[in-house]
Amino acid sequence: MVKLRLKRCGRKQRIYRIVAIDVRSRREGRDLRKVGFYDPIKNQTYLNVPAILYFLEKGAQPTETVNDIFKKAELFKEFQINQKKS
């Protein structure tokens, strides 16, 4: 099973990448694809929306924190629109 979760990166581990990763991998393990980043200090977020929608359509589950980030970015509205088109 694939999850969308945070992975620490950057100097002093203050920035997080949002990655698609196998559930059995450790947090800093090898990811399938990088789909965005989140900086909690500057409150900046970058999301690769097509890649995220692809993984969500394939059944990937976001973690609680990543789910909250997606809600703030209103990503699930786009996900629902894409599902209606299919």
Side-chain angles (χ1 to χ4, degrees), residues 65-85:
T65 309
V66 172
N67 198 19
D68 292 341
I69 293 169
F70 289 169
K71 283 181 184 176
K72 285 181 186 176
E74 299 179 351
L75 184 79
F76 289 114
K77 289 181 182 177
E78 292 182 38
F79 181 60
Q80 291 171 351
I81 290 170
N82 280 355
Q83 281 188 332
K84 288 180 184 176
K85 288 181 182 177

Side-chain angles (χ1 to χ4, degrees), residues 16-84:
Y16 297 91
R17 286 193 187 277
I18 301 171
V19 296
I21 194 166
D22 188 22
V23 174
R24 296 168 292 197
S25 297
R26 51 197 171 93
R27 183 187 66 217
E28 305 304 322
R30 184 166 173 244
D31 50 72
L32 300 173
R33 186 163 179 193
K34 296 173 182 76
V35 294
F37 78 86
Y38 172 62
D39 185 353
I41 296 169
K42 294 180 182 175
N43 202 15
Q44 286 182 325
T45 307
Y46 168 77
L47 301 173
N48 183 351
V49 177
I52 293 169
L53 293 177
Y54 169 79
F55 281 107
L56 289 174
E57 287 170 358
K58 296 294 181 186
Q61 297 294 316
T63 59
E64 244 180 84
T65 309
V66 172
N67 198 19
D68 292 341
I69 293 169
F70 289 169
K71 283 181 184 176
K72 285 181 186 176
E74 299 179 351
L75 184 79
F76 289 114
K77 289 181 182 177
E78 292 182 38
F79 181 60
Q80 291 171 351
I81 290 170
N82 280 355
Q83 281 188 332
K84 288 180 184 176

